[in-house]
Amino acid sequence: YQRRVRGASPFGDHSSSARTKCHGHCFSRSSSNSFKIDLLDSSLLILSLKALICVENNHHELIVSLENWGKVTRTFGPLVDPAAFLENIKTTLENPWFHGNISQEEAEDLLNAHSIKGAFLIRLSSQPGCFTLSRKKQKIMHHRISHDSQRDEFSLHLTTNKNEVRILVGDKGEHLESFVNRILIKEKDLSLKFPCKGSKFACLFANVKFKYV
């Protein structure tokens, strides 16, 4: 990632080894110059991006880390088409099952808050470019959703009771939202009954209604 963005980094002219985070206002200026993305815009597309990449420090300032920016561009990019990049992020964030960059422990805390089986969420994986499906049935389980950039298709990796791996492959060019909805309909044995509450992105889409099978 360091080599790929050299000369066009939203973190300024410093190398990533010397600078691993920057303030939101600095990132806004440099991203506008490098990628033609105006983070000062108040549109839902830009608000979605900021909600995904920014964290608040102890001084209540918005901070963007190189690690987080790299994970987001690897997962939702490439940045060849900034408009498509932003739309991809917004389309994902508006689903109540998406919880962004939370840890496995945080995901389990959210799922354990539900007494009813069938809660699930999807989050960014620790593996770059991947997502993780976390679900609660008899116990909490985590499954990786990978994306083949060359074939442009998602796949869900499931481990059976016999420790065999079953891979569910989506259609070529399919968006994550469509892939997840396909799993909800066809894979009833996973017991994905309702999205886990607590997504920090919910306030952005308070007026959007969703229907699940």
Side-chain angles (χ1 to χ4, degrees):
Y1 174 75
Q2 296 172 10
R3 294 190 296 271
R4 183 166 60 87
V5 301
R6 184 170 296 165
S9 170
F11 291 79
D13 297 329
H14 301 282
S15 68
S16 58
S17 60
R19 188 175 187 180
T20 59
K21 62 180 62 176
C22 70
H23 286 80
H25 63 276
C26 297
F27 185 87
S28 298
R29 291 196 299 268
S30 52
S31 63
S32 178
N33 294 331
S34 301
F35 307 118
K36 308 304 179 185
I37 296 176
D38 183 9
L39 289 185
L40 299 180
D41 188 349
S42 59
S43 69
L44 193 54
L45 288 172
I46 299 301
L47 291 176
S48 298
L49 174 62
K50 292 166 71 173
L52 186 62
I53 66 175
C54 296
V55 295
E56 192 174 281
N57 65 11
N58 295 332
H59 302 289
H60 304 291
E61 299 169 319
L62 292 181
I63 299 295
V64 181
S65 69
L66 176 59
E67 179 183 5
N68 200 23
W69 173 248
K71 180 182 288 188
V72 168
T73 54
R74 175 75 178 273
T75 305
F76 295 95
L79 269 170
V80 177
D81 184 349
F85 171 71
L86 293 174
E87 183 63 34
N88 190 13
I89 289 176
K90 184 188 77 68
T91 302
T92 302
L93 265 62
E94 66 184 3
N95 288 279
W97 40 253
F98 185 69
H99 285 245
N101 193 24
I102 64 173
S103 66
Q104 178 174 316
E105 291 73 20
E106 291 172 311
E108 292 178 353
D109 287 342
L110 288 168
L111 291 170
N112 280 326
H114 291 270
S115 58
I116 303 175
K117 300 175 184 177
F120 72 97
L121 61 86
I122 291 178
R123 55 190 172 88
L124 293 180
S125 171
S126 57
Q127 181 72 25
C130 297
F131 297 90
T132 297
L133 165 64
S134 300
R135 63 187 179 96
K136 183 177 182 180
K137 198 174 181 181
Q138 283 79 12
K139 60 179 181 179
I140 294 177
M141 301 185 70
H142 307 277
H143 312 281
R144 178 165 297 163
I145 299 176
S146 58
H147 182 259
D148 188 325
S149 58
Q150 293 185 339
R151 298 177 62 87
D152 193 18
E153 61 186 22
F154 287 99
S155 57
L156 173 64
H157 301 251
L158 300 171
T159 302
T160 67
N161 294 332
K162 298 180 180 179
N163 289 325
E164 298 174 343
V165 177
R166 184 163 64 100
I167 301 178
L168 308 177
V169 181
D171 292 337
K172 186 175 182 179
E174 188 174 32
H175 190 272
L176 177 66
E177 179 184 37
S178 177
F179 179 66
V180 172
N181 286 337
R182 180 195 303 272
I183 294 172
L184 293 176
I185 295 172
K186 292 188 174 182
E187 300 298 323
K188 298 295 185 181
D189 57 317
L190 296 180
S191 297
L192 306 178
K193 296 182 179 179
F194 54 90
C196 181
K197 295 180 180 180
S199 171
K200 64 180 180 180
F201 310 119
C203 60
L204 292 175
F205 308 95
N207 296 322
V208 179
K209 295 182 179 180
F210 299 90
K211 181 179 179 181
Y212 288 88
V213 178

